[in-house]
Amino acid sequence: CRYMAVVLFVCTGNAARSQMAEGWLKTLKPEFTVLSAGTKPEKVSRRAIKAMNEVGLDITTHTSKHLDMVDWKNANFAITLCSSADETCVLMEWPEKCNRLHWPIKDPESEDDFRNARDKIKSHIEDFLINM
């Protein structure tokens, strides 16, 4: 991709999946503006932080935010990571320039689930960067 992009990741709690996605994309494409938010934000998951630390990425400074707290109207891409967030985002009036994508990632529960989610998200992001 040869242009600057604003990418927003959305999941329900903004506690794990969207936080990991934000961490990956900020690392892989630091020139992009990367945001994450939730429809019902919770505290960032300790297990998400741990899973990212295992691959050398530190998301300890991330904070959960409600969708209303981020500048979603300037996003070029809005990527939902769970069906609940996707259902909410379908109802929003996104600007024409915004491309909406949905990457259904299972809500992680166990340590292995968090690792699997982390790795699936990385794979989605790598494909996204190749195809955008």
Side-chain angles (χ1 to χ4, degrees), residues 40-105:
K40 297 176 186 170
E42 302 168 6
K43 186 177 178 189
V44 177
S45 165
R46 290 178 289 113
R47 292 193 287 180
I49 292 169
K50 180 181 177 194
M52 295 300 279
N53 279 338
E54 290 173 359
V55 294
L57 297 180
D58 182 6
I59 62 168
T60 57
T61 60
H62 288 205
T63 57
S64 293
K65 296 162 288 306
H66 190 275
L67 204 46
D68 292 341
M69 296 170 64
V70 297
D71 189 11
W72 59 269
K73 289 187 178 182
N74 278 322
N76 301 104
F77 297 91
I79 303 170
T80 52
L81 300 163
C82 69
S83 59
S84 173
D86 191 49
E87 290 166 12
T88 298
C89 289
V90 164
L91 303 175
M92 296 170 61
E93 292 192 29
W94 294 90
E96 273 187 41
K97 68 173 180 156
C98 187
N99 298 287
R100 285 217 334 100
L101 304 170
H102 179 59
W103 300 343
I105 304 288

Side-chain angles (χ1 to χ4, degrees), residues 21-46:
E22 178 183 351
W24 275 123
L25 190 55
K26 280 182 173 177
T27 299
L28 296 170
K29 263 312 199 194
E31 63 272 27
F32 283 8
T33 299
V34 185
L35 308 166
S36 71
T39 56
K40 297 176 186 170
E42 302 168 6
K43 186 177 178 189
V44 177
S45 165
R46 290 178 289 113

